[in-house]
Amino acid sequence: MSNEPPVTTQSFVKFETEHIMPIPESERRGTSWGLFAIWFGLNMMPLTVVTGAVASGAYGLPIGWSIFAILLGNVIGGFGAALHASQGPHLGIPQMLQARGQFGYQGGSLFALIALVMFVGLFVSILIVAKEALVIVIPELDGTWVIIGFAAIGILICIVGYDLLQKMMIYLSMLIGVTIIVSMVMMWMQPEVTSQHAEAAFSSEGFFAMVAIGVVWQLAYAPYVSDYTRYLPSKTGPKRAFWMTYTGLVASSVFVMMLGVLLGAANAGNPLMALSDHLGGIGVVILVIFAVTSVLINGVELYSAVMNGLTVLQTSFKRLVITTRTRVLTTIGLGAVATVIALLGQGDFMTTFESFLMLLLYVLIPWSAINLADYFIVVKGHYKVGDLFRRDGGRYGRWNWVGLTSYAVGLAAQVPFMITPFFTSPLAEALQNVDIAWLVGFAVTAAVYLVLSRVTATGKRLKAAADDESAAMLPSR
């Protein structure tokens, strides 16, 4: 008989079975550089290019001011997203499920539903922009079937789960990084693009609106950054999770949006068309790479939509048990809904997308302020994760009126300063349409939440429970 150990095989990609439950230490196969690749690669897509083009195209800012506004907004917003990401290795749960700790078991589902709508919207947006990139190259293609095919690929990737997404993003980030560099260098060499256009001029409205778009671009990642950092071993530590997320998100966002600024200056109406117009055959190849990689990247958006969808389902249906079958069916269902929306929304995309970004900012800001204030100041990261899955909410209750009241006050505080396609407040007009609503909303929400947590019975109870748990973790002398 042979004394050699039996040969074991392990598949290259592990099919996900953990769903929204806490990730056990034995299953935490994520790496710091894999995390960096996810966030660096996720921004390498046409949608980021189109967002950067808003500065020079829609707002008519000069190239220099456009880049400065994009840099400032992303640097600021990236801190918020990365602070949320630092929570993942410690808690091991999806980001928006943790909202139960601030809003209660039932209250948290409201914010999971908001995040679900956001991720479906981003999935739809990427489908439309990827379709447009490919149709520019091959005008004979039927855009409807392109969207359906692209959506099917994203759905299949999402069904496999996190492990495939992480491995895929490592290779895609390298491929698209080279593509972006080539595009940037060649566009900078086009005098008709980089020369100052007569109609380009600085405006405070355009500059600060673009700063706000940079902030919301980063904060749009906040509701799902922990969906991926939860796969890091707990010994990784919050600082490494923070910096891998921050550098990956900010570096890629700014870099790709800079290309968008050049393309917007070249063709304000259709910035992607500028690639083929100014770069010829190479531009066509770049558009094809953009289209294909966007389809693959889009699985990340759908994955987070599914995590929030499962959170809402678990909250809403008492007898529902979340299984692999539930996750797969939810993925197919949400993917189908998003595909239908994309098919119906192929018209004036740029205007619709800009409006979507601004409304998203106003909705996300109060939630972000509450989550960060609670995690880092009130309970200092000491959550009882088991209670987050109890139907009565455990120590967090079914509805946490401290969190819900703070959110409502923060949302209301933004209204006098809001600038939307449907409503521009009188104070915003007095400020020459400079959008400071998000700054006011963050500060007011955080302040109200901290005060209410200190003075109310609910806040005192949660603070005391967190202090007890923290003390129990200290080594005995």
Side-chain angles (χ1 to χ4, degrees), residues 92-178:
I93 57 177
Q95 188 75 64
M96 294 310 291
L97 191 142
Q98 191 209 118
R100 293 172 177 174
Q102 294 101 46
F103 302 99
Y105 186 86
Q106 294 287 349
S109 67
L110 298 177
F111 297 89
L113 184 60
I114 291 171
L116 168 63
V117 172
M118 181 192 81
F119 292 124
V120 168
L122 291 173
F123 185 81
V124 168
S125 300
I126 293 172
L127 282 180
I128 293 174
V129 176
K131 180 268 298 184
E132 290 181 352
L134 193 59
V135 170
I136 288 173
V137 177
I138 313 174
E140 296 80 11
L141 287 175
D142 186 329
T144 295
W145 286 108
V146 171
I147 286 177
I148 293 173
F150 282 177
I153 295 171
I155 291 170
L156 288 174
I157 292 171
C158 182
I159 286 174
V160 177
Y162 167 82
D163 204 40
L164 175 58
L165 289 168
Q166 178 191 235
K167 289 182 170 65
M168 184 181 65
M169 293 302 293
I170 292 174
Y171 299 106
L172 286 179
S173 62
M174 293 187 288
L175 170 64
I176 314 172
V178 172

Coordinates of all heavy atoms in Angstrom, one line a residue, residues 92-178:
G92 N -17.8 41.3 10.0 CA -18.0 40.2 9.1 C -19.4 40.1 8.4 O -19.8 39.0 8.0
I93 N -20.1 41.2 8.4 CA -21.5 41.2 7.8 C -21.6 42.3 6.7 O -20.8 43.2 6.7 CB -22.5 41.5 8.9 CG1 -22.3 42.8 9.6 CG2 -22.6 40.3 9.9 CD1 -23.3 43.2 10.7
P94 N -22.6 42.1 5.8 CA -22.8 43.2 4.8 C -23.0 44.5 5.4 O -23.6 44.6 6.5 CB -24.0 42.7 4.1 CG -24.1 41.2 4.3 CD -23.5 41.0 5.7
Q95 N -22.7 45.6 4.7 CA -22.7 46.9 5.3 C -24.1 47.3 5.7 O -24.3 47.8 6.8 CB -22.2 47.9 4.2 CG -22.0 49.3 4.7 CD -20.8 49.5 5.6 OE1 -19.7 49.3 5.1 NE2 -21.0 49.8 6.8
M96 N -25.1 47.2 4.8 CA -26.4 47.7 5.2 C -27.2 46.8 6.1 O -28.1 47.3 6.8 CB -27.2 47.9 3.9 CG -26.7 49.0 3.0 SD -26.3 50.6 3.8 CE -28.0 51.1 4.1
L97 N -26.8 45.6 6.3 CA -27.4 44.8 7.4 C -27.0 45.4 8.7 O -27.8 45.3 9.7 CB -26.9 43.3 7.3 CG -27.7 42.3 8.2 CD1 -27.9 41.0 7.5 CD2 -27.0 42.1 9.5
Q98 N -25.8 46.0 8.8 CA -25.4 46.6 10.0 C -26.3 47.8 10.4 O -26.3 48.3 11.6 CB -23.9 47.1 9.9 CG -23.3 47.5 11.2 CD -22.2 48.6 11.0 OE1 -22.3 49.7 11.4 NE2 -21.2 48.2 10.2
A99 N -27.0 48.3 9.4 CA -27.9 49.4 9.7 C -28.9 49.1 10.8 O -29.5 50.0 11.5 CB -28.6 49.9 8.5
R100 N -29.2 47.8 11.0 CA -30.1 47.4 12.1 C -29.5 47.8 13.5 O -30.3 48.0 14.4 CB -30.2 45.8 12.1 CG -30.9 45.3 10.9 CD -30.9 43.8 10.8 NE -31.7 43.2 9.7 CZ -31.7 41.9 9.4 NH1 -31.0 41.1 10.1 NH2 -32.4 41.5 8.3
G101 N -28.2 48.0 13.6 CA -27.6 48.4 14.8 C -27.9 49.9 15.1 O -27.9 50.3 16.3
Q102 N -28.2 50.7 14.1 CA -28.5 52.1 14.3 C -30.0 52.4 14.1 O -30.5 53.4 14.7 CB -27.7 52.9 13.2 CG -26.2 52.9 13.4 CD -25.6 52.0 12.4 OE1 -25.9 52.0 11.2 NE2 -24.7 51.1 12.9
F103 N -30.8 51.6 13.4 CA -32.2 51.9 13.1 C -33.1 50.8 13.6 O -34.3 51.0 13.5 CB -32.4 52.1 11.6 CG -31.5 53.2 11.1 CD1 -30.3 52.9 10.4 CD2 -31.9 54.5 11.2 CE1 -29.5 53.9 9.9 CE2 -31.1 55.6 10.7 CZ -29.9 55.3 10.1
G104 N -32.6 49.7 14.2 CA -33.5 48.6 14.6 C -33.6 47.6 13.5 O -33.3 47.8 12.4
Y105 N -34.2 46.4 13.9 CA -34.3 45.3 13.0 C -35.2 45.7 11.8 O -34.9 45.5 10.6 CB -34.9 44.1 13.7 CG -35.0 42.8 12.9 CD1 -33.9 42.0 12.8 CD2 -36.1 42.5 12.2 CE1 -33.9 40.8 12.0 CE2 -36.2 41.4 11.4 CZ -35.1 40.5 11.3 OH -35.1 39.4 10.6
Q106 N -36.4 46.3 12.1 CA -37.3 46.7 11.0 C -36.8 48.0 10.3 O -36.9 48.1 9.1 CB -38.7 46.9 11.5 CG -39.4 45.6 12.0 CD -39.8 44.7 10.9 OE1 -39.8 45.1 9.7 NE2 -40.2 43.5 11.2
G107 N -36.3 48.9 11.2 CA -35.9 50.2 10.6 C -34.7 50.0 9.6 O -34.6 50.7 8.6
G108 N -33.8 49.1 9.9 CA -32.7 48.9 9.1 C -33.1 48.4 7.7 O -32.4 48.7 6.7
S109 N -34.2 47.7 7.6 CA -34.6 47.3 6.3 C -35.0 48.4 5.3 O -34.9 48.3 4.1 CB -35.8 46.3 6.4 OG -37.0 47.0 6.9
L110 N -35.4 49.6 5.9 CA -35.8 50.7 5.1 C -34.5 51.2 4.3 O -34.6 51.6 3.2 CB -36.3 51.9 6.0 CG -37.6 51.6 6.7 CD1 -38.0 52.8 7.6 CD2 -38.7 51.3 5.7
F111 N -33.4 51.2 5.0 CA -32.2 51.7 4.4 C -31.5 50.6 3.5 O -30.9 50.9 2.5 CB -31.2 52.1 5.5 CG -31.7 53.3 6.3 CD1 -32.5 53.1 7.4 CD2 -31.5 54.6 5.8 CE1 -33.1 54.1 8.1 CE2 -32.1 55.6 6.5 CZ -32.9 55.4 7.6
A112 N -31.8 49.3 3.8 CA -31.4 48.3 2.9 C -32.2 48.4 1.6 O -31.6 48.2 0.5 CB -31.6 46.9 3.5
L113 N -33.4 48.8 1.7 CA -34.3 49.0 0.5 C -33.8 50.2 -0.3 O -33.7 50.1 -1.6 CB -35.7 49.2 0.9 CG -36.8 49.3 -0.2 CD1 -36.8 48.1 -1.1 CD2 -38.1 49.6 0.3
I114 N -33.4 51.3 0.3 CA -32.8 52.5 -0.4 C -31.6 52.1 -1.1 O -31.4 52.4 -2.3 CB -32.5 53.6 0.6 CG1 -33.9 54.2 1.2 CG2 -31.7 54.7 0.0 CD1 -33.7 55.2 2.3
A115 N -30.7 51.3 -0.4 CA -29.4 50.9 -1.0 C -29.7 49.9 -2.2 O -29.1 50.0 -3.3 CB -28.6 50.2 0.0
L116 N -30.8 49.1 -2.1 CA -31.1 48.2 -3.2 C -31.5 49.0 -4.4 O -31.0 48.7 -5.5 CB -32.3 47.3 -2.7 CG -33.1 46.5 -3.8 CD1 -32.1 45.5 -4.4 CD2 -34.3 45.8 -3.2
V117 N -32.3 50.0 -4.2 CA -32.7 50.9 -5.4 C -31.5 51.5 -6.0 O -31.3 51.6 -7.2 CB -33.7 52.0 -4.9 CG1 -34.0 53.0 -6.0 CG2 -35.0 51.3 -4.5
M118 N -30.5 52.0 -5.2 CA -29.3 52.6 -5.7 C -28.5 51.6 -6.5 O -28.0 52.0 -7.6 CB -28.5 53.1 -4.5 CG -27.2 53.8 -4.9 SD -26.1 54.1 -3.5 CE -25.3 52.5 -3.4
F119 N -28.3 50.4 -6.0 CA -27.5 49.5 -6.8 C -28.1 49.0 -8.0 O -27.4 48.8 -9.1 CB -27.1 48.3 -5.9 CG -26.2 48.6 -4.7 CD1 -26.6 48.3 -3.4 CD2 -25.0 49.2 -4.9 CE1 -25.8 48.7 -2.4 CE2 -24.2 49.6 -3.9 CZ -24.5 49.3 -2.6
V120 N -29.4 48.8 -8.0 CA -30.1 48.5 -9.3 C -29.9 49.7 -10.3 O -29.7 49.4 -11.5 CB -31.6 48.2 -9.0 CG1 -32.4 48.2 -10.3 CG2 -31.8 46.9 -8.2
G121 N -30.0 50.9 -9.8 CA -29.8 52.1 -10.6 C -28.4 52.1 -11.2 O -28.3 52.4 -12.4
L122 N -27.4 51.8 -10.4 CA -26.0 51.7 -11.0 C -25.9 50.6 -12.0 O -25.2 50.7 -13.0 CB -25.1 51.6 -9.8 CG -24.9 52.8 -8.9 CD1 -24.1 52.5 -7.7 CD2 -24.4 54.0 -9.7
F123 N -26.5 49.4 -11.7 CA -26.4 48.3 -12.6 C -27.0 48.7 -14.0 O -26.5 48.4 -15.0 CB -27.2 47.1 -12.0 CG -27.1 45.8 -12.8 CD1 -26.0 45.0 -12.8 CD2 -28.1 45.5 -13.7 CE1 -25.9 43.9 -13.5 CE2 -28.1 44.3 -14.4 CZ -26.9 43.5 -14.3
V124 N -28.2 49.4 -13.9 CA -28.9 49.9 -15.1 C -28.0 50.9 -15.9 O -27.8 50.8 -17.1 CB -30.2 50.5 -14.7 CG1 -30.8 51.3 -15.9 CG2 -31.2 49.5 -14.3
S125 N -27.4 51.8 -15.1 CA -26.5 52.8 -15.8 C -25.4 52.2 -16.5 O -25.0 52.6 -17.6 CB -26.1 53.8 -14.7 OG -27.1 54.5 -14.0
I126 N -24.7 51.2 -15.9 CA -23.6 50.6 -16.5 C -24.0 49.8 -17.7 O -23.3 49.8 -18.8 CB -22.9 49.7 -15.5 CG1 -22.2 50.5 -14.4 CG2 -21.8 48.8 -16.2 CD1 -21.7 49.8 -13.2
L127 N -25.1 49.2 -17.7 CA -25.6 48.5 -18.9 C -25.8 49.4 -20.0 O -25.4 49.1 -21.2 CB -27.0 47.8 -18.5 CG -27.0 46.5 -17.7 CD1 -28.4 46.0 -17.5 CD2 -26.2 45.4 -18.4
I128 N -26.4 50.6 -19.8 CA -26.7 51.5 -20.8 C -25.4 52.1 -21.4 O -25.3 52.2 -22.7 CB -27.6 52.7 -20.3 CG1 -29.0 52.1 -20.0 CG2 -27.8 53.8 -21.4 CD1 -29.9 53.1 -19.3
V129 N -24.5 52.5 -20.6 CA -23.3 53.1 -21.1 C -22.4 52.0 -21.8 O -21.8 52.3 -22.9 CB -22.5 53.7 -19.9 CG1 -21.1 54.2 -20.4 CG2 -23.2 54.8 -19.3
A130 N -22.4 50.8 -21.3 CA -21.6 49.7 -22.0 C -22.2 49.5 -23.4 O -21.5 49.2 -24.4 CB -21.6 48.5 -21.2
K131 N -23.6 49.5 -23.4 CA -24.3 49.3 -24.7 C -23.9 50.4 -25.7 O -23.6 50.1 -26.9 CB -25.8 49.2 -24.5 CG -26.6 49.0 -25.8 CD -27.1 50.3 -26.4 CE -28.0 51.1 -25.5 NZ -28.5 52.3 -26.2
E132 N -23.9 51.6 -25.2 CA -23.6 52.8 -26.1 C -22.2 52.7 -26.6 O -21.9 53.0 -27.8 CB -23.8 54.1 -25.3 CG -25.3 54.4 -25.0 CD -25.5 55.7 -24.3 OE1 -24.5 56.3 -23.9 OE2 -26.7 56.1 -24.2
A133 N -21.2 52.2 -25.8 CA -19.8 52.1 -26.2 C -19.7 51.1 -27.3 O -19.0 51.3 -28.3 CB -19.0 51.7 -25.0
L134 N -20.4 50.0 -27.2 CA -20.3 48.9 -28.3 C -21.1 49.3 -29.5 O -20.6 49.1 -30.7 CB -20.9 47.6 -27.7 CG -20.6 46.4 -28.6 CD1 -19.1 46.2 -28.7 CD2 -21.2 45.1 -27.9
V135 N -22.2 50.0 -29.4 CA -23.0 50.4 -30.6 C -22.3 51.5 -31.4 O -22.4 51.6 -32.6 CB -24.4 50.9 -30.1 CG1 -25.1 51.5 -31.3 CG2 -25.2 49.7 -29.6
I136 N -21.4 52.3 -30.7 CA -20.6 53.3 -31.4 C -19.7 52.5 -32.4 O -19.5 53.0 -33.5 CB -19.8 54.1 -30.4 CG1 -20.7 55.1 -29.7 CG2 -18.7 54.9 -31.2 CD1 -20.1 55.9 -28.6
V137 N -19.2 51.4 -31.9 CA -18.2 50.6 -32.8 C -19.0 49.9 -33.8 O -18.6 49.8 -35.0 CB -17.4 49.7 -31.9 CG1 -16.5 48.8 -32.7 CG2 -16.6 50.4 -30.8
I138 N -20.1 49.3 -33.5 CA -20.9 48.4 -34.4 C -22.3 49.0 -34.4 O -23.2 48.5 -33.7 CB -20.9 47.0 -34.0 CG1 -19.4 46.5 -33.7 CG2 -21.4 46.1 -35.2 CD1 -19.3 45.1 -33.2
P139 N -22.6 50.0 -35.2 CA -23.9 50.6 -35.2 C -25.0 49.7 -35.6 O -26.2 49.9 -35.3 CB -23.7 51.8 -36.3 CG -22.3 52.0 -36.4 CD -21.6 50.7 -36.1
E140 N -24.7 48.6 -36.4 CA -25.7 47.7 -36.8 C -26.3 46.9 -35.7 O -27.4 46.2 -35.8 CB -25.2 46.7 -37.9 CG -24.7 47.4 -39.2 CD -23.3 48.1 -39.0 OE1 -22.6 47.8 -38.0 OE2 -22.9 48.9 -39.9
L141 N -25.7 46.8 -34.5 CA -26.1 46.0 -33.4 C -27.5 46.5 -32.9 O -27.7 47.7 -32.8 CB -25.1 46.0 -32.3 CG -23.8 45.2 -32.5 CD1 -22.9 45.3 -31.3 CD2 -24.2 43.7 -32.7
D142 N -28.3 45.6 -32.5 CA -29.6 46.0 -31.8 C -29.3 46.3 -30.4 O -28.9 45.3 -29.6 CB -30.6 44.8 -32.0 CG -32.0 45.2 -31.5 OD1 -32.1 46.0 -30.5 OD2 -33.0 44.7 -32.0
G143 N -29.5 47.5 -29.9 CA -29.2 47.9 -28.6 C -29.9 47.1 -27.5 O -29.4 46.8 -26.4
T144 N -31.2 46.7 -27.9 CA -32.0 45.9 -26.9 C -31.3 44.6 -26.6 O -31.2 44.2 -25.4 CB -33.4 45.7 -27.5 OG1 -34.0 46.9 -27.6 CG2 -34.2 44.8 -26.6
W145 N -30.9 43.9 -27.7 CA -30.3 42.6 -27.4 C -28.9 42.7 -26.8 O -28.5 41.8 -26.1 CB -30.2 41.8 -28.7 CG -31.5 41.3 -29.2 CD1 -32.3 41.8 -30.2 CD2 -32.3 40.3 -28.5 NE1 -33.5 41.1 -30.3 CE2 -33.5 40.1 -29.2 CE3 -32.1 39.4 -27.4 CZ2 -34.5 39.2 -28.9 CZ3 -33.0 38.5 -27.1 CH2 -34.2 38.4 -27.8
V146 N -28.2 43.8 -27.1 CA -26.9 44.0 -26.4 C -27.1 44.1 -24.9 O -26.4 43.5 -24.1 CB -26.2 45.3 -27.0 CG1 -25.0 45.6 -26.1 CG2 -25.8 45.1 -28.4
I147 N -28.1 44.9 -24.5 CA -28.4 45.1 -23.1 C -28.8 43.8 -22.4 O -28.3 43.4 -21.3 CB -29.5 46.1 -22.9 CG1 -28.9 47.5 -23.1 CG2 -30.1 46.0 -21.4 CD1 -30.0 48.6 -23.0
I148 N -29.6 43.0 -23.1 CA -30.1 41.7 -22.5 C -28.9 40.8 -22.4 O -28.7 40.1 -21.4 CB -31.1 41.1 -23.5 CG1 -32.4 41.9 -23.4 CG2 -31.4 39.6 -23.0 CD1 -33.5 41.5 -24.4
G149 N -28.0 40.7 -23.4 CA -26.8 39.8 -23.3 C -25.9 40.3 -22.2 O -25.3 39.4 -21.5
F150 N -25.6 41.6 -22.1 CA -24.7 42.1 -21.1 C -25.3 41.8 -19.7 O -24.5 41.5 -18.8 CB -24.5 43.6 -21.3 CG -23.6 44.0 -22.4 CD1 -23.3 45.3 -22.7 CD2 -22.9 43.0 -23.1 CE1 -22.4 45.6 -23.7 CE2 -22.0 43.3 -24.1 CZ -21.8 44.6 -24.4
A151 N -26.6 42.0 -19.6 CA -27.2 41.7 -18.2 C -27.1 40.3 -17.9 O -26.8 39.9 -16.7 CB -28.7 42.1 -18.3
A152 N -27.3 39.4 -18.8 CA -27.2 37.9 -18.5 C -25.8 37.6 -18.0 O -25.6 36.8 -17.1 CB -27.5 37.1 -19.8
I153 N -24.7 38.2 -18.6 CA -23.4 37.9 -18.2 C -23.2 38.4 -16.7 O -22.6 37.7 -15.9 CB -22.4 38.6 -19.1 CG1 -22.4 37.9 -20.5 CG2 -20.9 38.4 -18.5 CD1 -21.6 38.6 -21.5
G154 N -23.6 39.6 -16.4 CA -23.5 40.1 -15.1 C -24.3 39.3 -14.1 O -23.8 39.0 -12.9
I155 N -25.4 38.8 -14.4 CA -26.2 37.9 -13.5 C -25.5 36.6 -13.2 O -25.4 36.2 -12.1 CB -27.6 37.6 -14.1 CG1 -28.4 38.9 -14.2 CG2 -28.3 36.5 -13.4 CD1 -29.7 38.8 -15.0
L156 N -24.9 36.0 -14.2 CA -24.1 34.7 -14.1 C -22.9 34.9 -13.1 O -22.7 34.1 -12.3 CB -23.7 34.2 -15.4 CG -24.8 33.6 -16.3 CD1 -24.2 33.2 -17.7 CD2 -25.4 32.4 -15.6
I157 N -22.2 36.0 -13.3 CA -21.1 36.3 -12.5 C -21.5 36.5 -11.0 O -20.9 36.0 -10.1 CB -20.3 37.5 -13.0 CG1 -19.7 37.2 -14.3 CG2 -19.3 38.0 -12.0 CD1 -19.1 38.5 -15.0
C158 N -22.6 37.2 -10.8 CA -23.1 37.5 -9.5 C -23.6 36.2 -8.8 O -23.4 36.0 -7.6 CB -24.3 38.5 -9.6 SG -24.9 38.9 -8.0
I159 N -24.1 35.2 -9.6 CA -24.6 34.0 -9.0 C -23.4 33.2 -8.4 O -23.6 32.6 -7.3 CB -25.3 33.1 -10.1 CG1 -26.7 33.8 -10.4 CG2 -25.4 31.7 -9.7 CD1 -27.4 33.1 -11.5
V160 N -22.3 33.2 -9.1 CA -21.1 32.5 -8.5 C -20.7 33.1 -7.2 O -20.4 32.5 -6.2 CB -20.0 32.5 -9.5 CG1 -18.7 31.8 -8.9 CG2 -20.4 31.7 -10.8
G161 N -20.6 34.5 -7.2 CA -20.4 35.2 -5.9 C -19.0 35.8 -5.8 O -18.3 36.1 -6.7
Y162 N -18.7 36.1 -4.5 CA -17.6 37.0 -4.2 C -16.2 36.5 -4.7 O -15.4 37.3 -5.2 CB -17.4 37.1 -2.7 CG -16.1 37.7 -2.2 CD1 -15.9 39.1 -2.2 CD2 -15.1 36.9 -1.8 CE1 -14.7 39.6 -1.8 CE2 -13.9 37.4 -1.4 CZ -13.7 38.8 -1.4 OH -12.5 39.3 -1.0
D163 N -16.0 35.2 -4.6 CA -14.6 34.7 -5.0 C -14.3 35.0 -6.5 O -13.2 35.4 -6.8 CB -14.6 33.2 -4.7 CG -13.1 32.7 -4.5 OD1 -12.4 33.5 -3.8 OD2 -12.8 31.6 -5.0
L164 N -15.3 34.7 -7.3 CA -15.1 35.0 -8.7 C -14.9 36.5 -9.0 O -14.1 36.9 -9.8 CB -16.3 34.5 -9.5 CG -16.3 34.8 -11.1 CD1 -15.0 34.3 -11.7 CD2 -17.5 34.3 -11.7
L165 N -15.7 37.3 -8.3 CA -15.6 38.8 -8.4 C -14.2 39.3 -8.1 O -13.6 40.1 -8.8 CB -16.7 39.5 -7.6 CG -18.1 39.3 -8.0 CD1 -19.1 39.8 -6.9 CD2 -18.4 40.1 -9.3
Q166 N -13.7 38.8 -6.9 CA -12.4 39.2 -6.5 C -11.3 38.8 -7.5 O -10.5 39.7 -7.9 CB -12.0 38.7 -5.1 CG -10.7 39.1 -4.7 CD -10.2 38.3 -3.4 OE1 -9.8 38.9 -2.4 NE2 -10.2 37.0 -3.5
K167 N -11.3 37.6 -7.9 CA -10.2 37.1 -8.8 C -10.3 37.8 -10.2 O -9.3 38.2 -10.8 CB -10.3 35.6 -9.0 CG -9.9 34.8 -7.8 CD -10.0 33.3 -8.0 CE -9.4 32.5 -6.9 NZ -10.0 32.7 -5.6
M168 N -11.6 38.0 -10.7 CA -11.8 38.7 -11.9 C -11.3 40.1 -11.9 O -10.7 40.6 -12.9 CB -13.3 38.6 -12.3 CG -13.7 39.2 -13.6 SD -15.5 39.0 -13.8 CE -16.0 40.1 -12.5
M169 N -11.6 40.8 -10.8 CA -11.2 42.2 -10.7 C -9.7 42.4 -10.7 O -9.2 43.5 -11.2 CB -11.8 42.9 -9.5 CG -13.3 43.0 -9.5 SD -14.0 43.9 -10.9 CE -13.4 45.5 -10.5
I170 N -8.9 41.5 -10.2 CA -7.5 41.6 -10.2 C -6.9 41.7 -11.7 O -6.1 42.6 -12.0 CB -6.8 40.4 -9.5 CG1 -7.1 40.4 -8.0 CG2 -5.3 40.4 -9.7 CD1 -6.7 39.2 -7.2
Y171 N -7.4 40.8 -12.6 CA -7.0 40.8 -13.9 C -7.6 42.0 -14.7 O -6.9 42.6 -15.6 CB -7.3 39.5 -14.6 CG -6.6 38.3 -13.9 CD1 -7.3 37.5 -13.1 CD2 -5.2 38.1 -14.1 CE1 -6.7 36.4 -12.5 CE2 -4.6 37.1 -13.4 CZ -5.3 36.2 -12.6 OH -4.7 35.2 -12.0
L172 N -8.8 42.3 -14.5 CA -9.5 43.4 -15.2 C -8.8 44.7 -14.9 O -8.7 45.6 -15.8 CB -11.0 43.4 -14.9 CG -11.9 42.3 -15.5 CD1 -13.3 42.5 -15.0 CD2 -11.8 42.4 -17.0
S173 N -8.5 44.9 -13.6 CA -7.9 46.2 -13.2 C -6.6 46.5 -14.0 O -6.3 47.6 -14.4 CB -7.6 46.3 -11.7 OG -6.7 45.3 -11.3
M174 N -5.8 45.4 -14.3 CA -4.6 45.6 -15.0 C -4.9 45.9 -16.5 O -4.2 46.8 -17.1 CB -3.7 44.3 -14.9 CG -3.2 44.1 -13.5 SD -2.0 42.7 -13.4 CE -3.1 41.3 -13.6
L175 N -5.8 45.1 -17.1 CA -6.1 45.3 -18.5 C -6.7 46.7 -18.7 O -6.2 47.5 -19.6 CB -7.2 44.3 -18.9 CG -7.8 44.5 -20.3 CD1 -6.8 44.4 -21.4 CD2 -8.9 43.5 -20.5
I176 N -7.6 47.2 -17.9 CA -8.3 48.5 -18.1 C -7.3 49.6 -17.7 O -7.4 50.7 -18.3 CB -9.6 48.6 -17.4 CG1 -10.4 47.3 -17.5 CG2 -10.4 49.8 -17.9 CD1 -11.6 47.3 -16.7
G177 N -6.5 49.4 -16.8 CA -5.5 50.4 -16.4 C -4.6 50.8 -17.6 O -4.4 51.9 -17.8
V178 N -4.1 49.8 -18.3 CA -3.3 50.0 -19.5 C -4.1 50.7 -20.5 O -3.6 51.7 -21.2 CB -2.7 48.7 -20.0 CG1 -2.0 48.9 -21.4 CG2 -1.8 48.1 -19.0

